[in-house]
Amino acid sequence: AMRRIVAWMAVVLLVGIPLIGIVYFLDQAHPTTPSLVERTIATAEAAVRENPNALGVRVTLAEAYAAAGRQEDALRQYDEVLKAAPENSTAVLGRAVVLLALDRLDDAKAGFRQVVETGSLGEMANVDPQVEEALYHLGQIALRQDDVASAVTYLSDALRIDRTDADALDLLGTALVRAGDPANAIVAFGRAVALVPTGWCEPYSGLASAYAATGDTAGAGYAGGM
């Protein structure tokens, strides 16, 4: 499946992205040096040592740790941010994503719900990418916990914010098949493949299953062939 992208708050844009840009330049200038992620970690660690109260840099470091598979280290950085700023939605969301990667589903769910509840109070809730991200992951968790009805609700809500989220469309199709609604699953999978027509097999596989469930052998054959 396509990678999910966690939205960055303004302080990360001001601090983290320029930091990554510098590391990227150095990485291109010295291609035999450690990877971009490793260099980002080293640079961010040095920045945190110099200024432990720089929350944006800590978020950047946490994201880099997570990208490197160092989930426990990422959690520690997010925890430090949240000690100082408990309502920092970027840290709450990032921490929940890490907890999900660690299969701590109930803890992750609490974080995602906090993002949705807090974001829903804002004036831009209907276009808030963090709320959409949290809703997607709540749908993901609900499906893993066999709560198909909740999964359909969460994913439908996510798509009201971002109709072009192909991952959410694919997962919604899967949830609808499991809910016994293959006709609407075909619509969801169809929208997903329209957005990403090549290089992504999962929605075509789901589409084949949905067509088969409706008795459409021709449609199943087409989707299977793709």
Side-chain angles (χ1 to χ4, degrees), residues 54-106:
L55 302 185
V57 178
R58 281 193 182 274
V59 171
T60 298
L61 179 56
E63 292 288 343
Y65 279 149
R70 295 171 59 177
Q71 309 296 356
E72 295 293 344
D73 288 331
L75 277 183
R76 279 188 282 274
Q77 291 302 318
Y78 283 129
D79 286 343
E80 288 300 315
V81 173
L82 292 171
K83 283 179 187 177
E87 300 303 317
N88 184 318
S89 60
T90 300
V92 174
L93 180 59
R95 185 177 187 275
V97 171
V98 170
L99 290 169
L100 178 57
L102 292 171
D103 285 329
R104 291 171 56 181
L105 301 187
D106 290 335

